[in-house]
Amino acid sequence: MSSVKKVGVLIGSLRKDSFSRKIARAVIALAPDSLSFEVIEIGGVSFFNQDLEATPPADWVSLREKIKACDAILFVTPEYNRSVPGVLKNAIDVASRPYGQSVFNGKPAAIVSTSIGAIGGFGSNHHLRQSLTFLNMPQLAQPEMYVGNSAQVVGEDGEVANDATKDYLAGFGVAFAAWIHKTA
């Protein structure tokens, strides 16, 4: 694992101080040096409309170029109504089109799902896995990363609440790095 791999991070929450964003920052901070990260903002990506594929909007082109430049993708998402937020699904739809030209194809992926409840975003995690399977993204299977009670996991300052959780997030980063180096 000698070369540094670039990981694009797609965060499914637009809120500046969202728990998903704080947890993404914690995972990034605790990850091995063999990974570099770029948070790819998705809030400004216009809605997917197949009529625009022939002359895609600049925000679509930018998103696709940023994802294409990455070796792997980390998805960090809350759960909305037992699924992924619309903004994340839209970004995935935009970047995976036109059909047959997905910039996700073959990129290793991992999912961190978050919830203020105890289930940890199980529904969003598995809905996202279905899409990523179709997009031909080899996904880190273990450890699964469901972050329940996310309001207690990270404080207002973004610091992880306890050492056990830090160790868990760091272990996830190590496993994801190994997965990327194996599959990228």
Side-chain angles (χ1 to χ4, degrees):
M1 292 198 298
S2 58
S3 66
V4 174
K5 299 294 186 183
K6 182 176 180 181
V7 179
V9 182
L10 297 179
I11 301 170
S13 176
L14 299 180
R15 193 168 59 90
K16 180 182 69 162
D17 291 323
S18 75
F19 300 119
S20 295
R21 188 167 296 274
K22 288 178 181 180
I23 291 166
R25 288 182 190 135
V27 169
I28 291 167
L30 295 165
D33 292 339
S34 62
L35 302 179
S36 69
F37 293 87
E38 177 186 355
V39 174
I40 301 171
E41 298 296 341
I42 60 174
V45 177
S46 55
F47 289 127
F48 175 73
N49 178 342
Q50 191 173 2
D51 292 341
L52 303 177
E53 282 187 340
T55 55
D59 58 279
W60 290 14
V61 173
S62 176
L63 176 70
R64 291 170 179 165
E65 288 172 351
K66 288 176 183 177
I67 292 171
K68 191 172 187 176
C70 295
D71 298 302
I73 304 295
L74 173 63
F75 295 88
V76 184
T77 186
E79 181 173 285
Y80 289 3
N81 302 313
R82 296 287 189 248
S83 190
V84 297
V87 68
L88 180 58
K89 180 65 168 81
N90 181 62
I92 291 168
D93 292 346
V94 166
S96 67
R97 300 290 299 201
Y99 184 77
Q101 297 176 35
S102 172
V103 293
F104 291 119
N105 187 41
K107 291 189 187 298
I111 301 169
V112 176
S113 58
T114 68
S115 172
I116 58 172
I119 297 175
F122 181 86
S124 65
N125 192 302
H126 285 269
H127 274 191
L128 186 51
R129 285 183 185 278
Q130 289 177 328
S131 294
L132 302 187
T133 297
F134 177 78
L135 295 173
N136 191 35
M137 297 183 79
Q139 301 161 53
L140 177 65
Q142 293 294 325
E144 292 180 301
M145 185 56 70
Y146 309 103
V147 182
N149 302 308
S150 56
Q152 287 76 44
V153 171
V154 289
E156 289 296 319
D157 59 0
E159 289 297 314
V160 178
N162 63 60
D163 289 339
T165 302
K166 280 184 186 176
D167 291 345
Y168 187 57
L169 296 175
F172 174 81
V174 169
F176 188 36
W179 181 246
I180 293 167
H181 287 279
K182 178 180 178 181
T183 59

